Amino acid sequence: MPKPTIEQLVDGVRDADRRSIAQAITLVESVRAEDDERSQRLLEALAPHACDARRIGISGIPGAGKSTLIEALGMHAIGAGHRIAVLAVDPTSALSGGSILGDKTRMEKLSREDAAYIRPSAGGGQLGGVAPRTREAMLILEAAGFDTVFVETIGIGQSEAAVRDLVDTFALLTITGAGDDLQGIKRGVLELADLIFVTKADGDNEAAATAAATELRSAMHILRSSHGSGCPEVVTCSATTGAGMPEVWNAIVAHHDGLKTDGALDSLRTEQDLRWLDRRIDEMLRRRFLGSHVEAMEKAREAVRRGELVASVARRVLEAT
Amino acid sequence: MPKPTIEQLVDGVRDADRRSIAQAITLVESVRAEDDERSQRLLEALAPHACDARRIGISGIPGAGKSTLIEALGMHAIGAGHRIAVLAVDPTSALSGGSILGDKTRMEKLSREDAAYIRPSAGGGQLGGVAPRTREAMLILEAAGFDTVFVETIGIGQSEAAVRDLVDTFALLTITGAGDDLQGIKRGVLELADLIFVTKADGDNEAAATAAATELRSAMHILRSSHGSGCPEVVTCSATTGAGMPEVWNAIVAHHDGLKTDGALDSLRTEQDLRWLDRRIDEMLRRRFLGSHVEAMEKAREAVRRGELVASVARRVLEAT
């Protein structure tokens, strides 16, 4: 099958054609030199058409139920007329992928909806990192008209700060019943959070969830008042029963509206773009250097294999070029 | 106070003088251009004296008790005549640091021991990353004669894969009683583990810990047999009562001895050094580029602030240089 032209991809993405979206994301995620020019043309053609989406990060420890929450929340939002995209930054095993107890079908209901698009892994095999092109993948989804983009950071080993740098609203999902919830959440992660959702607030666990939410509210009050930033809203919910989904969605919308009203959204995104510029330049510098110093790098690797000090070898390579 | 000379630092580190070790690590962690030459001279002078240490990563979700385990294990190892260093890769809050419920004194007993050295944060403000110079900090500790170096990865947001790339033995610490332990451990992280410690095997929880260990052993058996690598040993322990500490220590020593016997240690460390070479070169390329293209970068940042597409701006900067 011939490669689609850039014009075909642009039209396909703007029509929200699923196959075109998938091909477009694959193209912009490519780090092969021969894809550079097509990737660039595609992004430039789509950028003016990107809708003004909410970008929401959902974080939490493994087992907190991030996928279940996103499914329940996504179904609620679709019911309210929104179009939902999910980028899952999955620390997929380089060896075989998936979770230890077999691959549960994740977000099964949401994935069947026309108004939803799920990109299962944007991790590109990087355990614990954000793929070098996640921000570009987000642009494709926004050009396809998805007005809400969730970035799910799955499990241990994720760089929460890197995801914080991709989204407008960073939500932390936590569960009760694990005994020492609050101790389990590091201050550094709490300080990143704009919203906190306490899930599994159902059945026997409802009272515990409410108590945990109260405790979190007062902890956040102490934590934030010391440096003047706003206090994140804490919302209890249950992805299983659907309880609290409207409240969770409203909290997201309210946070985002707040960012727009006071101009904070524009400056936040500009700051993020400036850091993204640094990342892109790093990546391009590396590729250019490796491409044009094949022999010097081979010698450097030989020196490291012989046991020379890495810091010295690196310095020598750079000084000789 | 005048800066110590490199000769003084070398002597101080080799004498395991705590102040010298701290100054030496601070120097090699520095990314200021004016420290480069001194840092390089220090590393080259110390490298031949680095002892043949065990490098052990200890990973696990927040609240699993990593610090408590390292303290109990460190005290046991010191009792057996070893000298222990701990590098804690702490996702310290850029704002205020510490954990939400106040700073517990961590590893209080171990920190009072002459045969132990604890470097509380090697993160350099990078939430979720390994500092660019952790491997060099490790070399300082090895030159000071610490024969066992623990690298603790604290909490959410850590890059387990980056720590895996710094150590010989990667141990995963897990707790029972949280309801869905196994679901909470991602296959990708389990596949990195050489050893698994199931902690809190004490009192009422002992039976649950033993059961979880059995379950993990069979899960690991299924997981690993599919791609032929060895099965990690699963050991139950309690950092509180000290139960299992000799077994945990012996498992670490046995794993490390195994690596040495079959020559795997040398090739593992060479592979790590080669990846570290790439990281060092990336870092130096970035610094060199930013240092010599101040004006072009300023223009690029202006273009991003005006809303130009980051990918296009990055490309333009690189093409013009």
Side-chain angles (χ1 to χ4, degrees):
Chain A
M1 214 186 69
K3 271 188 191 174
T5 66
I6 293 303
E7 292 65 34
Q8 285 169 334
L9 275 183
V10 169
D11 290 344
V13 168
R14 294 193 59 198
D15 286 344
D17 170 61
R18 306 176 91 80
R19 188 183 172 82
S20 300
I21 295 171
Q23 288 174 322
I25 294 181
T26 301
L27 177 60
V28 299
E29 282 181 347
S30 166
V31 289
R32 297 189 310 185
E34 63 265 37
D35 289 329
D36 269 4
E37 203 228 314
R38 277 164 54 82
S39 167
Q40 198 70 29
R41 277 173 53 213
L42 178 67
L43 287 168
E44 288 176 7
L46 286 175
H49 304 292
C51 72
D52 182 23
R54 288 178 197 90
R55 303 169 181 173
I56 320 292
I58 304 277
S59 167
I61 62 167
K66 294 179 287 297
S67 302
T68 319
L69 178 88
I70 292 174
E71 169 149 280
L73 194 56
M75 294 303 290
H76 172 81
I78 286 174
H82 295 282
R83 301 188 61 230
I84 306 296
V86 183
L87 280 172
V89 182
D90 193 335
T92 302
S93 158
L95 291 165
S96 48
S99 70
I100 179 174
L101 295 179
D103 283 312
K104 282 173 288 185
T105 308
R106 300 174 62 244
M107 301 187 235
E108 202 184 344
K109 273 167 75 185
L110 196 60
S111 64
R112 283 196 301 261
E113 292 287 332
D114 277 340
Y117 184 87
I118 299 167
R119 180 83 176 178
S121 174
Q126 300 197 324
L127 181 71
V130 164
R133 303 296 173 83
T134 309
R135 206 164 180 85
E136 281 76 25
M138 209 179 255
L139 188 144
I140 305 288
L141 294 167
E142 292 173 359
F146 293 101
D147 61 61
T148 304
V149 180
F150 287 107
V151 182
E152 180 189 3
T153 80
I154 303 174
I156 286 176
Q158 279 309 319
S159 174
E160 314 301 289
V163 171
R164 162 73 280 187
D165 228 10
L166 284 171
V167 298
D168 308 324
T169 302
F170 187 78
L172 181 66
L173 184 66
T174 181
I175 44 166
T176 50
D180 50 359
D181 300 316
L182 277 180
Q183 284 87 337
I185 306 171
K186 289 287 164 186
R187 186 169 183 158
V189 173
L190 269 186
E191 280 179 349
L192 296 176
D194 299 308
L195 299 170
I196 299 175
F197 306 139
V198 180
T199 188
K200 297 194 182 164
D202 48 40
D204 292 347
N205 206 40
E206 202 178 334
T210 308
T214 306
E215 197 181 349
L216 271 167
R217 275 184 205 106
S218 69
M220 292 310 298
H221 188 70
I222 296 163
L223 192 61
R224 295 288 175 109
S225 59
S226 62
H227 56 83
S229 61
C231 220
E233 198 175 342
V234 181
V235 185
T236 57
C237 62
S238 164
T240 321
T241 68
M245 282 309 125
E247 288 76 11
V248 167
W249 176 252
N250 291 342
I252 289 173
V253 172
H255 179 263
H256 205 264
D257 287 351
L259 285 179
K260 274 185 175 169
T261 309
D262 63 9
L265 186 62
D266 284 343
S267 53
L268 173 70
R269 287 197 175 175
T270 300
E271 288 307 313
Q272 291 177 341
D273 278 341
L274 288 170
R275 286 189 288 268
W276 199 249
L277 174 70
D278 288 343
R279 282 190 65 162
R280 288 299 299 249
I281 288 178
D282 282 357
E283 185 205 328
M284 292 165 87
L285 282 174
R286 178 188 317 129
R287 280 166 55 193
R288 189 166 75 174
F289 183 84
L290 296 180
S292 55
H293 295 90
V294 175
E295 205 180 326
M297 280 304 296
E298 207 34 71
K299 278 187 191 163
R301 290 190 192 103
E302 269 313 310
V304 168
R305 283 194 196 96
R306 281 193 309 269
E308 274 191 59
L309 186 66
V310 170
S312 306
V313 175
R315 195 181 160 109
R316 206 166 60 220
V317 173
L318 270 282
E319 275 170 0
T321 59
Chain B
M1 213 185 70
K3 271 188 191 173
T5 65
I6 293 304
E7 292 67 32
Q8 285 169 333
L9 275 184
V10 169
D11 290 344
V13 168
R14 294 194 59 199
D15 286 344
D17 170 60
R18 306 177 92 79
R19 188 182 173 81
S20 300
I21 295 171
Q23 288 174 322
I25 294 181
T26 302
L27 176 60
V28 300
E29 283 181 346
S30 167
V31 289
R32 297 189 311 186
E34 63 265 36
D35 290 328
D36 269 4
E37 203 228 313
R38 277 165 54 83
S39 166
Q40 197 71 27
R41 277 173 51 214
L42 179 67
L43 287 169
E44 287 176 7
L46 286 175
H49 304 291
C51 72
D52 182 23
R54 288 178 197 91
R55 304 169 180 172
I56 320 293
I58 304 278
S59 166
I61 63 168
K66 293 178 288 297
S67 303
T68 319
L69 178 87
I70 292 174
E71 169 150 281
L73 195 55
M75 293 304 289
H76 172 80
I78 286 174
H82 294 281
R83 301 188 61 229
I84 305 295
V86 183
L87 281 172
V89 183
D90 193 336
T92 302
S93 158
L95 291 165
S96 47
S99 71
I100 180 175
L101 295 180
D103 282 312
K104 281 175 288 185
T105 308
R106 299 174 64 244
M107 302 187 235
E108 204 185 340
K109 273 166 74 184
L110 196 60
S111 63
R112 282 197 302 261
E113 292 287 332
D114 277 341
Y117 184 87
I118 299 168
R119 180 84 176 178
S121 173
Q126 299 198 325
L127 183 71
V130 165
R133 303 295 172 84
T134 309
R135 206 164 178 86
E136 281 75 24
M138 210 179 253
L139 187 144
I140 305 287
L141 295 167
E142 292 173 359
F146 294 100
D147 61 61
T148 304
V149 180
F150 287 107
V151 182
E152 180 190 2
T153 80
I154 303 174
I156 287 177
Q158 278 312 318
S159 174
E160 315 301 290
V163 171
R164 162 73 279 186
D165 228 9
L166 285 170
V167 298
D168 307 323
T169 302
F170 187 78
L172 181 65
L173 184 66
T174 182
I175 44 168
T176 49
D180 49 359
D181 300 316
L182 277 180
Q183 284 87 338
I185 305 171
K186 289 287 164 185
R187 187 169 182 159
V189 174
L190 270 186
E191 280 179 350
L192 296 176
D194 300 307
L195 298 170
I196 299 176
F197 306 139
V198 180
T199 188
K200 297 196 182 163
D202 47 41
D204 291 349
N205 207 40
E206 202 179 333
T210 307
T214 305
E215 198 181 348
L216 271 166
R217 276 185 205 106
S218 70
M220 292 309 299
H221 187 70
I222 296 163
L223 193 60
R224 296 287 174 110
S225 60
S226 62
H227 55 84
S229 59
C231 220
E233 197 175 341
V234 181
V235 184
T236 58
C237 63
S238 164
T240 321
T241 67
M245 283 309 125
E247 288 75 13
V248 167
W249 177 253
N250 291 343
I252 289 172
V253 172
H255 179 263
H256 205 264
D257 287 350
L259 286 179
K260 275 184 175 171
T261 309
D262 64 8
L265 186 61
D266 284 342
S267 54
L268 174 70
R269 287 196 175 177
T270 300
E271 287 308 312
Q272 292 178 340
D273 277 341
L274 289 170
R275 285 189 289 268
W276 199 249
L277 175 70
D278 288 342
R279 283 191 64 163
R280 287 299 300 249
I281 289 178
D282 282 358
E283 186 206 326
M284 292 166 85
L285 282 174
R286 178 189 317 129
R287 280 166 55 193
R288 188 166 76 173
F289 183 84
L290 296 179
S292 55
H293 296 88
V294 175
E295 204 179 327
M297 280 304 297
E298 207 33 70
K299 278 188 191 161
R301 291 191 191 103
E302 270 314 309
V304 168
R305 284 195 194 95
R306 281 193 308 270
E308 275 192 58
L309 186 66
V310 170
S312 306
V313 175
R315 196 181 159 109
R316 207 166 58 221
V317 173
L318 270 280
E319 276 171 358
T321 60

